Amino acid sequence: MQISFLLHDGYALSGTVRTTYTLAARLAEHHDVEVVSVLRHRDTPALGPDPRIRLRHLVDLRPHSQGSDLGHPLLQRPATDFPRAEPRHAAYSALTDARVNAYLAGLTSDIVLGTRPGLNTHLARRTRPGPVRIGQEHRAPGAHSPALRAELEAAYPLLDGITTTTEAAARAYRAGMHLPGVPVRSMAGPVPAPDLPPATGTAPWVVAAGRLTGAKRYDLLVRAFAKNKRRAPRLEDAHPRLRRTGGRAAPPHPRTGPLQPRLPHGPRSPHGGGVGQGLRRRRHLRA
C-alpha cells in the first residue's frame, strides 16, 4: 500500500514534524511511504526522517537553490484555496495553492493524510477520486477561531476520516461539528522507544519540553509543582530546580506570562540556547 503525508514544512523543527516522521517510519515497515513537504527552506531536514521514507517538496524557498521559487510571481499573490482564517495563511500563496492542487490531482497513493487544518481542506476539495483522505487534527475544535471552524465544517464532511490526538478531542469534534458519515477516531502522537530507562519517581524533578506558550498549559504544571511542594517535604528544597531553558522567549501570555518571573535561571540550567543546544546538553550529560 502506498501512503502519503502532506506536511507544512518537513524541514522544520516541530512536534508535528517529529510525530509525522515517527508514524511514517513505523508504516514504512510494511508499506511504501512518502512525506510531501509543501515548503522547503533549508538543505537538510532539522529532524531527519527514516531512510525508508521518501521526502520531497513542492515549493522551494531556499535563496541559493537552482530550483528556488523565490522569484515566482505567484509567490507574491495570497492563497485562496488555503483557508484565510488558518493561522499559517501568511506562509501560503497562489503558488502553494497551485502546487498542492496539482499534486493532489495526480496523486498515485492509496491513502493521503493532511497534518494541519488548511492542508486538510486541500485534501477534502482537491484530491482526485480514489485515494482515502484522512485529516489529522492536532488541536481540539475549541482551539480554532469561529471563522476557521466555519471553513472546516464546510470542507471536513468531504473527508473519509479524521484523527485527533486525544479521545476528548475526538468527542468534541463529533459533538461540536457537523460531520455526517465521517468517522472521527483518536490516535495519540507516536513516540519512539526511549534509549534511557524510565524515571524512578524518587527525585524532586519535574521535566517538560516544549514552547512556553499558553496552548501548552505550563501554568498548570507550575501550579501543580507549587501545590505538591507544600505537601511533600522532599520538595521543600526543590524550588531552585524549577527552571526554564531555551533560545527564543515567547511573547507574554495571559496564562504563562504572570508565571515566568517564578522560573529562575539557575546556574545548572541557564536560560539561553535553542532546542538543539538543549539536546546537546542532554547528550553530554548522558555520556
mmCIF file of all heavy atoms in Angstrom, residues 4-11 34-41 55-62 65 67-70 72 75 82 91-107 112 119 122-123:
data_model
loop_
_atom_site.group_PDB
_atom_site.id
_atom_site.type_symbol
_atom_site.label_atom_id
_atom_site.label_comp_id
_atom_site.label_asym_id
_atom_site.label_seq_id
_atom_site.Cartn_x
_atom_site.Cartn_y
_atom_site.Cartn_z
ATOM 1 N N SER A 4 0.792 8.563 1.692
ATOM 2 C CA SER A 4 1.424 9.881 1.581
ATOM 3 C C SER A 4 0.986 10.771 2.729
ATOM 4 O O SER A 4 -0.190 10.770 3.114
ATOM 5 C CB SER A 4 1.061 10.551 0.252
ATOM 6 O OG SER A 4 1.573 9.839 -0.841
ATOM 7 N N PHE A 5 1.930 11.537 3.251
ATOM 8 C CA PHE A 5 1.660 12.570 4.239
ATOM 9 C C PHE A 5 1.913 13.931 3.595
ATOM 10 O O PHE A 5 2.947 14.125 2.952
ATOM 11 C CB PHE A 5 2.573 12.427 5.457
ATOM 12 C CG PHE A 5 2.290 11.233 6.318
ATOM 13 C CD1 PHE A 5 2.845 9.997 6.011
ATOM 14 C CD2 PHE A 5 1.487 11.342 7.446
ATOM 15 C CE1 PHE A 5 2.603 8.896 6.808
ATOM 16 C CE2 PHE A 5 1.235 10.246 8.248
ATOM 17 C CZ PHE A 5 1.788 9.013 7.931
ATOM 18 N N LEU A 6 0.991 14.852 3.762
ATOM 19 C CA LEU A 6 1.169 16.217 3.278
ATOM 20 C C LEU A 6 1.466 17.094 4.484
ATOM 21 O O LEU A 6 0.632 17.247 5.377
ATOM 22 C CB LEU A 6 -0.087 16.697 2.554
ATOM 23 C CG LEU A 6 0.012 18.052 1.837
ATOM 24 C CD1 LEU A 6 1.111 18.031 0.784
ATOM 25 C CD2 LEU A 6 -1.331 18.420 1.208
ATOM 26 N N LEU A 7 2.678 17.665 4.504
ATOM 27 C CA LEU A 7 3.196 18.359 5.673
ATOM 28 C C LEU A 7 3.505 19.811 5.319
ATOM 29 O O LEU A 7 3.940 20.106 4.206
ATOM 30 C CB LEU A 7 4.457 17.632 6.134
ATOM 31 C CG LEU A 7 5.025 17.868 7.531
ATOM 32 C CD1 LEU A 7 3.996 17.548 8.609
ATOM 33 C CD2 LEU A 7 6.269 17.001 7.722
ATOM 34 N N HIS A 8 3.303 20.707 6.268
ATOM 35 C CA HIS A 8 3.566 22.129 6.043
ATOM 36 C C HIS A 8 5.031 22.355 5.673
ATOM 37 O O HIS A 8 5.337 22.924 4.625
ATOM 38 C CB HIS A 8 3.201 22.926 7.296
ATOM 39 C CG HIS A 8 3.685 24.344 7.285
ATOM 40 N ND1 HIS A 8 3.179 25.286 6.424
ATOM 41 C CD2 HIS A 8 4.637 24.969 8.028
ATOM 42 C CE1 HIS A 8 3.795 26.447 6.634
ATOM 43 N NE2 HIS A 8 4.685 26.275 7.590
ATOM 44 N N ASP A 9 5.957 21.945 6.529
ATOM 45 C CA ASP A 9 7.390 22.102 6.270
ATOM 46 C C ASP A 9 8.124 20.956 6.928
ATOM 47 O O ASP A 9 8.380 20.981 8.139
ATOM 48 C CB ASP A 9 7.889 23.450 6.805
ATOM 49 C CG ASP A 9 9.325 23.743 6.405
ATOM 50 O OD1 ASP A 9 10.017 22.813 5.939
ATOM 51 O OD2 ASP A 9 9.782 24.892 6.568
ATOM 52 N N GLY A 10 8.443 19.953 6.159
ATOM 53 C CA GLY A 10 9.118 18.778 6.684
ATOM 54 C C GLY A 10 10.572 19.002 7.016
ATOM 55 O O GLY A 10 11.234 18.088 7.516
ATOM 56 N N TYR A 11 11.074 20.202 6.756
ATOM 57 C CA TYR A 11 12.470 20.520 7.044
ATOM 58 C C TYR A 11 12.614 21.331 8.328
ATOM 59 O O TYR A 11 13.727 21.649 8.740
ATOM 60 C CB TYR A 11 13.081 21.288 5.868
ATOM 61 C CG TYR A 11 13.112 20.459 4.603
ATOM 62 C CD1 TYR A 11 11.970 20.318 3.822
ATOM 63 C CD2 TYR A 11 14.256 19.782 4.220
ATOM 64 C CE1 TYR A 11 11.975 19.530 2.676
ATOM 65 C CE2 TYR A 11 14.277 18.993 3.077
ATOM 66 C CZ TYR A 11 13.129 18.867 2.313
ATOM 67 O OH TYR A 11 13.136 18.078 1.187
ATOM 68 N N GLU A 34 5.669 8.088 1.629
ATOM 69 C CA GLU A 34 6.333 9.326 1.258
ATOM 70 C C GLU A 34 5.782 10.467 2.106
ATOM 71 O O GLU A 34 4.628 10.440 2.546
ATOM 72 C CB GLU A 34 6.131 9.657 -0.224
ATOM 73 C CG GLU A 34 4.714 10.075 -0.594
ATOM 74 C CD GLU A 34 4.613 10.648 -1.997
ATOM 75 O OE1 GLU A 34 5.632 10.751 -2.686
ATOM 76 O OE2 GLU A 34 3.476 10.999 -2.395
ATOM 77 N N VAL A 35 6.629 11.455 2.347
ATOM 78 C CA VAL A 35 6.232 12.695 3.009
ATOM 79 C C VAL A 35 6.451 13.826 2.018
ATOM 80 O O VAL A 35 7.571 14.001 1.512
ATOM 81 C CB VAL A 35 7.039 12.940 4.300
ATOM 82 C CG1 VAL A 35 6.711 14.320 4.875
ATOM 83 C CG2 VAL A 35 6.742 11.857 5.329
ATOM 84 N N VAL A 36 5.400 14.567 1.748
ATOM 85 C CA VAL A 36 5.471 15.682 0.810
ATOM 86 C C VAL A 36 5.396 16.971 1.616
ATOM 87 O O VAL A 36 4.382 17.246 2.263
ATOM 88 C CB VAL A 36 4.338 15.612 -0.233
ATOM 89 C CG1 VAL A 36 4.392 16.824 -1.158
ATOM 90 C CG2 VAL A 36 4.443 14.321 -1.028
ATOM 91 N N SER A 37 6.475 17.721 1.590
ATOM 92 C CA SER A 37 6.551 18.989 2.307
ATOM 93 C C SER A 37 6.121 20.116 1.375
ATOM 94 O O SER A 37 6.692 20.279 0.290
ATOM 95 C CB SER A 37 7.987 19.211 2.796
ATOM 96 O OG SER A 37 8.130 20.470 3.408
ATOM 97 N N VAL A 38 5.124 20.871 1.781
ATOM 98 C CA VAL A 38 4.690 21.981 0.925
ATOM 99 C C VAL A 38 5.838 22.966 0.740
ATOM 100 O O VAL A 38 6.103 23.430 -0.369
ATOM 101 C CB VAL A 38 3.462 22.687 1.531
ATOM 102 C CG1 VAL A 38 3.072 23.902 0.686
ATOM 103 C CG2 VAL A 38 2.286 21.722 1.649
ATOM 104 N N LEU A 39 6.546 23.279 1.807
ATOM 105 C CA LEU A 39 7.624 24.266 1.773
ATOM 106 C C LEU A 39 8.961 23.610 2.083
ATOM 107 O O LEU A 39 9.036 22.620 2.812
ATOM 108 C CB LEU A 39 7.359 25.385 2.778
ATOM 109 C CG LEU A 39 6.016 26.116 2.661
ATOM 110 C CD1 LEU A 39 5.863 27.135 3.776
ATOM 111 C CD2 LEU A 39 5.873 26.784 1.299
ATOM 112 N N ARG A 40 10.011 24.192 1.528
ATOM 113 C CA ARG A 40 11.371 23.778 1.879
ATOM 114 C C ARG A 40 12.210 25.047 2.030
ATOM 115 O O ARG A 40 12.346 25.832 1.079
ATOM 116 C CB ARG A 40 11.972 22.882 0.811
ATOM 117 C CG ARG A 40 13.390 22.422 1.162
ATOM 118 C CD ARG A 40 13.938 21.450 0.138
ATOM 119 N NE ARG A 40 15.233 20.923 0.557
ATOM 120 C CZ ARG A 40 15.927 19.996 -0.110
ATOM 121 N NH1 ARG A 40 15.421 19.485 -1.224
ATOM 122 N NH2 ARG A 40 17.091 19.574 0.343
ATOM 123 N N HIS A 41 12.781 25.234 3.211
ATOM 124 C CA HIS A 41 13.553 26.446 3.473
ATOM 125 C C HIS A 41 15.010 26.154 3.814
ATOM 126 O O HIS A 41 15.786 27.066 4.057
ATOM 127 C CB HIS A 41 12.923 27.225 4.627
ATOM 128 C CG HIS A 41 13.116 26.584 5.969
ATOM 129 N ND1 HIS A 41 12.435 25.454 6.352
ATOM 130 C CD2 HIS A 41 13.939 26.908 7.000
ATOM 131 C CE1 HIS A 41 12.824 25.107 7.556
ATOM 132 N NE2 HIS A 41 13.732 25.959 7.985
ATOM 133 N N LEU A 55 11.174 11.790 0.938
ATOM 134 C CA LEU A 55 10.830 13.164 1.308
ATOM 135 C C LEU A 55 11.034 14.055 0.092
ATOM 136 O O LEU A 55 12.116 14.071 -0.506
ATOM 137 C CB LEU A 55 11.702 13.645 2.472
ATOM 138 C CG LEU A 55 11.553 15.121 2.861
ATOM 139 C CD1 LEU A 55 10.141 15.415 3.365
ATOM 140 C CD2 LEU A 55 12.595 15.493 3.915
ATOM 141 N N ARG A 56 9.995 14.785 -0.279
ATOM 142 C CA ARG A 56 10.127 15.740 -1.368
ATOM 143 C C ARG A 56 9.318 16.991 -1.036
ATOM 144 O O ARG A 56 8.501 16.998 -0.116
ATOM 145 C CB ARG A 56 9.692 15.139 -2.701
ATOM 146 C CG ARG A 56 8.241 14.667 -2.787
ATOM 147 C CD ARG A 56 8.055 13.873 -4.067
ATOM 148 N NE ARG A 56 6.722 13.361 -4.259
ATOM 149 C CZ ARG A 56 5.810 13.937 -5.049
ATOM 150 N NH1 ARG A 56 6.108 15.065 -5.689
ATOM 151 N NH2 ARG A 56 4.618 13.406 -5.195
ATOM 152 N N HIS A 57 9.558 18.046 -1.793
ATOM 153 C CA HIS A 57 8.912 19.320 -1.516
ATOM 154 C C HIS A 57 8.175 19.817 -2.760
ATOM 155 O O HIS A 57 8.425 19.348 -3.879
ATOM 156 C CB HIS A 57 9.940 20.358 -1.065
ATOM 157 C CG HIS A 57 10.965 20.674 -2.113
ATOM 158 N ND1 HIS A 57 12.112 19.914 -2.280
ATOM 159 C CD2 HIS A 57 11.014 21.642 -3.054
ATOM 160 C CE1 HIS A 57 12.827 20.404 -3.270
ATOM 161 N NE2 HIS A 57 12.190 21.460 -3.768
ATOM 162 N N LEU A 58 7.294 20.793 -2.524
ATOM 163 C CA LEU A 58 6.525 21.382 -3.622
ATOM 164 C C LEU A 58 6.970 22.799 -3.955
ATOM 165 O O LEU A 58 6.937 23.196 -5.122
ATOM 166 C CB LEU A 58 5.026 21.379 -3.275
ATOM 167 C CG LEU A 58 4.399 20.010 -3.004
ATOM 168 C CD1 LEU A 58 2.922 20.162 -2.660
ATOM 169 C CD2 LEU A 58 4.580 19.073 -4.199
ATOM 170 N N VAL A 59 7.352 23.571 -2.955
ATOM 171 C CA VAL A 59 7.791 24.958 -3.161
ATOM 172 C C VAL A 59 9.133 25.144 -2.466
ATOM 173 O O VAL A 59 9.247 24.903 -1.263
ATOM 174 C CB VAL A 59 6.754 25.966 -2.625
ATOM 175 C CG1 VAL A 59 7.275 27.393 -2.753
ATOM 176 C CG2 VAL A 59 5.425 25.812 -3.366
ATOM 177 N N ASP A 60 10.126 25.590 -3.218
ATOM 178 C CA ASP A 60 11.492 25.745 -2.712
ATOM 179 C C ASP A 60 11.728 27.208 -2.331
ATOM 180 O O ASP A 60 11.707 28.097 -3.192
ATOM 181 C CB ASP A 60 12.486 25.307 -3.788
ATOM 182 C CG ASP A 60 13.898 25.151 -3.251
ATOM 183 O OD1 ASP A 60 14.187 25.682 -2.159
ATOM 184 O OD2 ASP A 60 14.717 24.499 -3.926
ATOM 185 N N LEU A 61 11.973 27.460 -1.054
ATOM 186 C CA LEU A 61 12.209 28.816 -0.560
ATOM 187 C C LEU A 61 13.673 29.082 -0.250
ATOM 188 O O LEU A 61 13.999 30.091 0.381
ATOM 189 C CB LEU A 61 11.367 29.060 0.702
ATOM 190 C CG LEU A 61 9.856 28.924 0.526
ATOM 191 C CD1 LEU A 61 9.141 29.178 1.857
ATOM 192 C CD2 LEU A 61 9.332 29.869 -0.543
ATOM 193 N N ARG A 62 14.570 28.228 -0.701
ATOM 194 C CA ARG A 62 15.994 28.433 -0.458
ATOM 195 C C ARG A 62 16.547 29.437 -1.474
ATOM 196 O O ARG A 62 16.422 29.225 -2.684
ATOM 197 C CB ARG A 62 16.746 27.111 -0.569
ATOM 198 C CG ARG A 62 16.379 26.084 0.495
ATOM 199 C CD ARG A 62 17.037 24.747 0.199
ATOM 200 N NE ARG A 62 16.499 24.166 -1.031
ATOM 201 C CZ ARG A 62 17.030 23.106 -1.661
ATOM 202 N NH1 ARG A 62 18.098 22.528 -1.156
ATOM 203 N NH2 ARG A 62 16.486 22.650 -2.768
ATOM 204 N N SER A 65 19.256 27.892 -3.962
ATOM 205 C CA SER A 65 18.924 26.699 -4.722
ATOM 206 C C SER A 65 18.698 27.034 -6.192
ATOM 207 O O SER A 65 18.096 28.058 -6.526
ATOM 208 C CB SER A 65 17.665 26.047 -4.137
ATOM 209 O OG SER A 65 17.185 25.027 -4.995
ATOM 210 N N GLY A 67 16.703 25.551 -8.083
ATOM 211 C CA GLY A 67 15.268 25.453 -8.337
ATOM 212 C C GLY A 67 14.436 26.337 -7.438
ATOM 213 O O GLY A 67 13.245 26.083 -7.243
ATOM 214 N N SER A 68 15.042 27.391 -6.874
ATOM 215 C CA SER A 68 14.331 28.251 -5.936
ATOM 216 C C SER A 68 13.112 28.899 -6.587
ATOM 217 O O SER A 68 13.144 29.332 -7.747
ATOM 218 C CB SER A 68 15.273 29.346 -5.412
ATOM 219 O OG SER A 68 14.571 30.241 -4.571
ATOM 220 N N ASP A 69 12.039 28.961 -5.815
ATOM 221 C CA ASP A 69 10.804 29.588 -6.280
ATOM 222 C C ASP A 69 10.637 31.016 -5.770
ATOM 223 O O ASP A 69 9.562 31.605 -5.922
ATOM 224 C CB ASP A 69 9.602 28.755 -5.819
ATOM 225 C CG ASP A 69 9.526 27.415 -6.521
ATOM 226 O OD1 ASP A 69 9.485 27.400 -7.764
ATOM 227 O OD2 ASP A 69 9.519 26.378 -5.819
ATOM 228 N N LEU A 70 11.669 31.575 -5.164
ATOM 229 C CA LEU A 70 11.534 32.896 -4.561
ATOM 230 C C LEU A 70 11.182 33.979 -5.586
ATOM 231 O O LEU A 70 10.581 34.991 -5.233
ATOM 232 C CB LEU A 70 12.821 33.271 -3.818
ATOM 233 C CG LEU A 70 13.075 32.502 -2.518
ATOM 234 C CD1 LEU A 70 14.418 32.892 -1.905
ATOM 235 C CD2 LEU A 70 11.948 32.754 -1.510
ATOM 236 N N HIS A 72 9.229 33.463 -8.219
ATOM 237 C CA HIS A 72 7.997 33.109 -8.942
ATOM 238 C C HIS A 72 6.912 34.154 -8.659
ATOM 239 O O HIS A 72 6.655 34.494 -7.507
ATOM 240 C CB HIS A 72 7.518 31.730 -8.507
ATOM 241 C CG HIS A 72 6.584 31.079 -9.464
ATOM 242 N ND1 HIS A 72 5.309 31.550 -9.708
ATOM 243 C CD2 HIS A 72 6.743 29.986 -10.265
ATOM 244 C CE1 HIS A 72 4.714 30.776 -10.594
ATOM 245 N NE2 HIS A 72 5.561 29.813 -10.956
ATOM 246 N N LEU A 75 4.157 33.541 -6.050
ATOM 247 C CA LEU A 75 4.523 33.518 -4.641
ATOM 248 C C LEU A 75 4.097 34.798 -3.934
ATOM 249 O O LEU A 75 3.926 34.815 -2.711
ATOM 250 C CB LEU A 75 6.036 33.319 -4.502
ATOM 251 C CG LEU A 75 6.564 32.934 -3.120
ATOM 252 C CD1 LEU A 75 6.033 31.574 -2.694
ATOM 253 C CD2 LEU A 75 8.095 32.918 -3.124
ATOM 254 N N PHE A 82 -6.167 27.735 0.370
ATOM 255 C CA PHE A 82 -5.789 27.551 1.772
ATOM 256 C C PHE A 82 -6.616 28.526 2.605
ATOM 257 O O PHE A 82 -6.669 29.716 2.311
ATOM 258 C CB PHE A 82 -4.297 27.842 1.951
ATOM 259 C CG PHE A 82 -3.731 27.375 3.261
ATOM 260 C CD1 PHE A 82 -3.243 26.089 3.419
ATOM 261 C CD2 PHE A 82 -3.682 28.235 4.348
ATOM 262 C CE1 PHE A 82 -2.712 25.661 4.623
ATOM 263 C CE2 PHE A 82 -3.155 27.816 5.563
ATOM 264 C CZ PHE A 82 -2.672 26.524 5.696
ATOM 265 N N ALA A 91 1.925 32.172 5.256
ATOM 266 C CA ALA A 91 3.028 31.410 4.668
ATOM 267 C C ALA A 91 2.648 30.781 3.335
ATOM 268 O O ALA A 91 3.518 30.274 2.621
ATOM 269 C CB ALA A 91 3.490 30.320 5.632
ATOM 270 N N TYR A 92 1.372 30.838 2.991
ATOM 271 C CA TYR A 92 0.885 30.207 1.763
ATOM 272 C C TYR A 92 0.607 31.277 0.706
ATOM 273 O O TYR A 92 0.540 32.468 0.998
ATOM 274 C CB TYR A 92 -0.341 29.358 2.058
ATOM 275 C CG TYR A 92 0.033 28.069 2.759
ATOM 276 C CD1 TYR A 92 0.404 28.077 4.103
ATOM 277 C CD2 TYR A 92 0.074 26.871 2.079
ATOM 278 C CE1 TYR A 92 0.790 26.913 4.742
ATOM 279 C CE2 TYR A 92 0.455 25.696 2.712
ATOM 280 C CZ TYR A 92 0.813 25.725 4.043
ATOM 281 O OH TYR A 92 1.210 24.570 4.662
ATOM 282 N N SER A 93 0.456 30.841 -0.522
ATOM 283 C CA SER A 93 0.349 31.766 -1.637
ATOM 284 C C SER A 93 -0.420 31.108 -2.775
ATOM 285 O O SER A 93 -0.797 29.928 -2.694
ATOM 286 C CB SER A 93 1.746 32.164 -2.122
ATOM 287 O OG SER A 93 2.429 31.017 -2.616
ATOM 288 N N ALA A 94 -0.605 31.860 -3.838
ATOM 289 C CA ALA A 94 -1.211 31.276 -5.034
ATOM 290 C C ALA A 94 -0.327 30.166 -5.592
ATOM 291 O O ALA A 94 -0.822 29.208 -6.204
ATOM 292 C CB ALA A 94 -1.433 32.361 -6.080
ATOM 293 N N LEU A 95 0.983 30.273 -5.362
ATOM 294 C CA LEU A 95 1.888 29.228 -5.832
ATOM 295 C C LEU A 95 1.696 27.944 -5.036
ATOM 296 O O LEU A 95 1.658 26.848 -5.617
ATOM 297 C CB LEU A 95 3.335 29.702 -5.731
ATOM 298 C CG LEU A 95 4.399 28.710 -6.212
ATOM 299 C CD1 LEU A 95 4.190 28.348 -7.672
ATOM 300 C CD2 LEU A 95 5.799 29.264 -5.990
ATOM 301 N N THR A 96 1.596 28.035 -3.709
ATOM 302 C CA THR A 96 1.358 26.817 -2.925
ATOM 303 C C THR A 96 0.007 26.216 -3.276
ATOM 304 O O THR A 96 -0.132 24.992 -3.360
ATOM 305 C CB THR A 96 1.441 27.098 -1.411
ATOM 306 O OG1 THR A 96 0.489 28.096 -1.061
ATOM 307 C CG2 THR A 96 2.831 27.565 -1.019
ATOM 308 N N ASP A 97 -1.000 27.065 -3.488
ATOM 309 C CA ASP A 97 -2.304 26.548 -3.931
ATOM 310 C C ASP A 97 -2.147 25.710 -5.195
ATOM 311 O O ASP A 97 -2.650 24.577 -5.287
ATOM 312 C CB ASP A 97 -3.268 27.698 -4.211
ATOM 313 C CG ASP A 97 -3.943 28.235 -2.961
ATOM 314 O OD1 ASP A 97 -3.772 27.652 -1.880
ATOM 315 O OD2 ASP A 97 -4.652 29.249 -3.080
ATOM 316 N N ALA A 98 -1.443 26.266 -6.189
ATOM 317 C CA ALA A 98 -1.309 25.587 -7.478
ATOM 318 C C ALA A 98 -0.520 24.294 -7.340
ATOM 319 O O ALA A 98 -0.912 23.251 -7.902
ATOM 320 C CB ALA A 98 -0.635 26.521 -8.481
ATOM 321 N N ARG A 99 0.575 24.331 -6.584
ATOM 322 C CA ARG A 99 1.415 23.133 -6.466
ATOM 323 C C ARG A 99 0.713 22.041 -5.663
ATOM 324 O O ARG A 99 0.776 20.856 -6.012
ATOM 325 C CB ARG A 99 2.747 23.514 -5.807
ATOM 326 C CG ARG A 99 3.577 24.518 -6.620
ATOM 327 C CD ARG A 99 4.457 23.838 -7.646
ATOM 328 N NE ARG A 99 5.139 24.792 -8.511
ATOM 329 C CZ ARG A 99 6.313 25.365 -8.234
ATOM 330 N NH1 ARG A 99 6.946 25.076 -7.101
ATOM 331 N NH2 ARG A 99 6.855 26.199 -9.095
ATOM 332 N N VAL A 100 0.061 22.403 -4.557
ATOM 333 C CA VAL A 100 -0.643 21.401 -3.755
ATOM 334 C C VAL A 100 -1.789 20.796 -4.552
ATOM 335 O O VAL A 100 -1.991 19.570 -4.559
ATOM 336 C CB VAL A 100 -1.158 22.019 -2.436
ATOM 337 C CG1 VAL A 100 -2.067 21.028 -1.704
ATOM 338 C CG2 VAL A 100 -0.006 22.424 -1.548
ATOM 339 N N ASN A 101 -2.542 21.637 -5.249
ATOM 340 C CA ASN A 101 -3.681 21.128 -6.019
ATOM 341 C C ASN A 101 -3.223 20.210 -7.153
ATOM 342 O O ASN A 101 -3.858 19.186 -7.434
ATOM 343 C CB ASN A 101 -4.493 22.293 -6.579
ATOM 344 C CG ASN A 101 -5.194 23.071 -5.483
ATOM 345 O OD1 ASN A 101 -5.364 22.581 -4.367
ATOM 346 N ND2 ASN A 101 -5.597 24.296 -5.786
ATOM 347 N N ALA A 102 -2.115 20.560 -7.817
ATOM 348 C CA ALA A 102 -1.604 19.704 -8.885
ATOM 349 C C ALA A 102 -1.130 18.366 -8.326
ATOM 350 O O ALA A 102 -1.349 17.312 -8.936
ATOM 351 C CB ALA A 102 -0.466 20.413 -9.615
ATOM 352 N N TYR A 103 -0.481 18.412 -7.161
ATOM 353 C CA TYR A 103 -0.030 17.171 -6.530
ATOM 354 C C TYR A 103 -1.217 16.271 -6.194
ATOM 355 O O TYR A 103 -1.195 15.068 -6.483
ATOM 356 C CB TYR A 103 0.774 17.485 -5.270
ATOM 357 C CG TYR A 103 0.935 16.315 -4.340
ATOM 358 C CD1 TYR A 103 1.762 15.245 -4.670
ATOM 359 C CD2 TYR A 103 0.240 16.257 -3.125
ATOM 360 C CE1 TYR A 103 1.891 14.150 -3.819
ATOM 361 C CE2 TYR A 103 0.372 15.172 -2.286
ATOM 362 C CZ TYR A 103 1.195 14.125 -2.633
ATOM 363 O OH TYR A 103 1.320 13.044 -1.804
ATOM 364 N N LEU A 104 -2.246 16.833 -5.606
ATOM 365 C CA LEU A 104 -3.405 16.032 -5.209
ATOM 366 C C LEU A 104 -4.197 15.535 -6.414
ATOM 367 O O LEU A 104 -4.775 14.446 -6.375
ATOM 368 C CB LEU A 104 -4.313 16.854 -4.284
ATOM 369 C CG LEU A 104 -3.702 17.214 -2.921
ATOM 370 C CD1 LEU A 104 -4.629 18.150 -2.161
ATOM 371 C CD2 LEU A 104 -3.421 15.958 -2.100
ATOM 372 N N ALA A 105 -4.209 16.298 -7.487
ATOM 373 C CA ALA A 105 -4.930 15.877 -8.688
ATOM 374 C C ALA A 105 -4.258 14.684 -9.357
ATOM 375 O O ALA A 105 -4.926 13.861 -9.998
ATOM 376 C CB ALA A 105 -5.030 17.044 -9.669
ATOM 377 N N GLY A 106 -2.931 14.580 -9.216
ATOM 378 C CA GLY A 106 -2.214 13.468 -9.823
ATOM 379 C C GLY A 106 -1.759 12.425 -8.826
ATOM 380 O O GLY A 106 -0.875 11.618 -9.132
ATOM 381 N N LEU A 107 -2.326 12.407 -7.654
ATOM 382 C CA LEU A 107 -1.902 11.520 -6.575
ATOM 383 C C LEU A 107 -2.012 10.054 -6.982
ATOM 384 O O LEU A 107 -3.025 9.619 -7.534
ATOM 385 C CB LEU A 107 -2.763 11.784 -5.335
ATOM 386 C CG LEU A 107 -2.345 11.110 -4.035
ATOM 387 C CD1 LEU A 107 -1.048 11.714 -3.509
ATOM 388 C CD2 LEU A 107 -3.448 11.285 -2.988
ATOM 389 N N VAL A 112 -3.898 9.303 1.667
ATOM 390 C CA VAL A 112 -3.198 10.565 1.852
ATOM 391 C C VAL A 112 -3.679 11.183 3.148
ATOM 392 O O VAL A 112 -4.874 11.185 3.448
ATOM 393 C CB VAL A 112 -3.409 11.522 0.652
ATOM 394 C CG1 VAL A 112 -4.877 11.829 0.427
ATOM 395 C CG2 VAL A 112 -2.596 12.797 0.835
ATOM 396 N N LEU A 119 -4.287 22.235 5.221
ATOM 397 C CA LEU A 119 -3.963 21.171 4.282
ATOM 398 C C LEU A 119 -5.068 20.129 4.226
ATOM 399 O O LEU A 119 -5.297 19.511 3.180
ATOM 400 C CB LEU A 119 -2.631 20.523 4.667
ATOM 401 C CG LEU A 119 -1.414 21.462 4.605
ATOM 402 C CD1 LEU A 119 -0.153 20.728 5.023
ATOM 403 C CD2 LEU A 119 -1.255 22.061 3.218
ATOM 404 N N HIS A 122 -7.462 21.255 1.666
ATOM 405 C CA HIS A 122 -6.954 20.927 0.328
ATOM 406 C C HIS A 122 -7.291 19.476 -0.007
ATOM 407 O O HIS A 122 -7.766 19.171 -1.107
ATOM 408 C CB HIS A 122 -5.441 21.133 0.271
ATOM 409 C CG HIS A 122 -5.012 22.500 -0.144
ATOM 410 N ND1 HIS A 122 -5.109 22.963 -1.438
ATOM 411 C CD2 HIS A 122 -4.460 23.504 0.561
ATOM 412 C CE1 HIS A 122 -4.627 24.196 -1.517
ATOM 413 N NE2 HIS A 122 -4.242 24.549 -0.315
ATOM 414 N N LEU A 123 -6.985 18.562 0.925
ATOM 415 C CA LEU A 123 -7.266 17.148 0.702
ATOM 416 C C LEU A 123 -8.736 16.924 0.393
ATOM 417 O O LEU A 123 -9.091 16.182 -0.530
ATOM 418 C CB LEU A 123 -6.877 16.338 1.949
ATOM 419 C CG LEU A 123 -5.568 15.572 1.935
ATOM 420 C CD1 LEU A 123 -4.392 16.535 1.837
ATOM 421 C CD2 LEU A 123 -5.452 14.729 3.201
#
